[in-house]
Amino acid sequence: MAVKRFEDLLVWQKSQDLAVLVYQEFITLKDYSFKDQISRASVSISNNIAEGFDRKTNPDFIRFLYFAASSNSEVRSMLYLSERLNYLKKERTVELIEKSNEISSMLYGLIQSIK
């Protein structure tokens, strides 16, 4: 069965979940520029999936999936930094990085399936 809506894509759902977790983790952080950057990057993952899906061409969709993967990498990089800055405990950082890695695998798997 073909996917008819981006909302049906598991990778979109998981990237939305990650964005919610990022917002929840950093909601009280006083480093506003850090919080803004990681929040915007986390939202960008699912938004790029959605935007690319609705472009209705495989090359455009793939291009936006790469944008989503790049935003996901940015989030993951900032998660490592958040641990070093003592914004998150190591255990929580590891959990969020695992979610990010799962999204990355799903994005690249989707790209390969479209190619």
Side-chain angles (χ1 to χ4, degrees), residues 62-103:
I62 289 169
R63 184 165 57 96
F64 278 86
L65 290 174
Y66 279 119
F67 294 156
S70 297
S71 293
N72 186 46
S73 294
E74 180 179 355
V75 169
R76 197 163 54 252
S77 177
M78 293 190 78
L79 287 170
Y80 285 110
L81 185 57
S82 70
E83 181 188 344
R84 295 183 70 192
L85 294 170
N86 294 312
Y87 294 161
L88 286 181
K89 293 184 178 182
K90 182 171 184 65
E91 301 78 34
R92 189 61 177 148
T93 304
V94 168
E95 290 172 16
L96 293 173
I97 287 171
E98 286 173 357
K99 291 181 184 307
S100 174
N101 283 331
E102 179 183 18
I103 290 166

Side-chain angles (χ1 to χ4, degrees), residues 18-77:
L18 179 62
V20 169
L21 292 173
V22 166
Y23 267 81
Q24 290 171 341
E25 287 298 329
F26 296 101
I27 196 162
T28 60
L29 184 65
K30 301 290 189 238
D31 184 343
Y32 299 112
S33 62
F34 185 95
K35 177 169 60 174
D36 181 59
Q37 186 68 27
I38 195 168
S39 297
R40 284 185 298 113
S42 69
V43 168
S44 183
I45 303 166
S46 63
N47 284 349
N48 277 304
I49 296 167
E51 187 174 351
F53 185 90
D54 280 340
R55 293 291 177 115
K56 304 296 186 199
T57 70
N58 285 346
D60 275 343
F61 190 25
I62 289 169
R63 184 165 57 96
F64 278 86
L65 290 174
Y66 279 119
F67 294 156
S70 297
S71 293
N72 186 46
S73 294
E74 180 179 355
V75 169
R76 197 163 54 252
S77 177

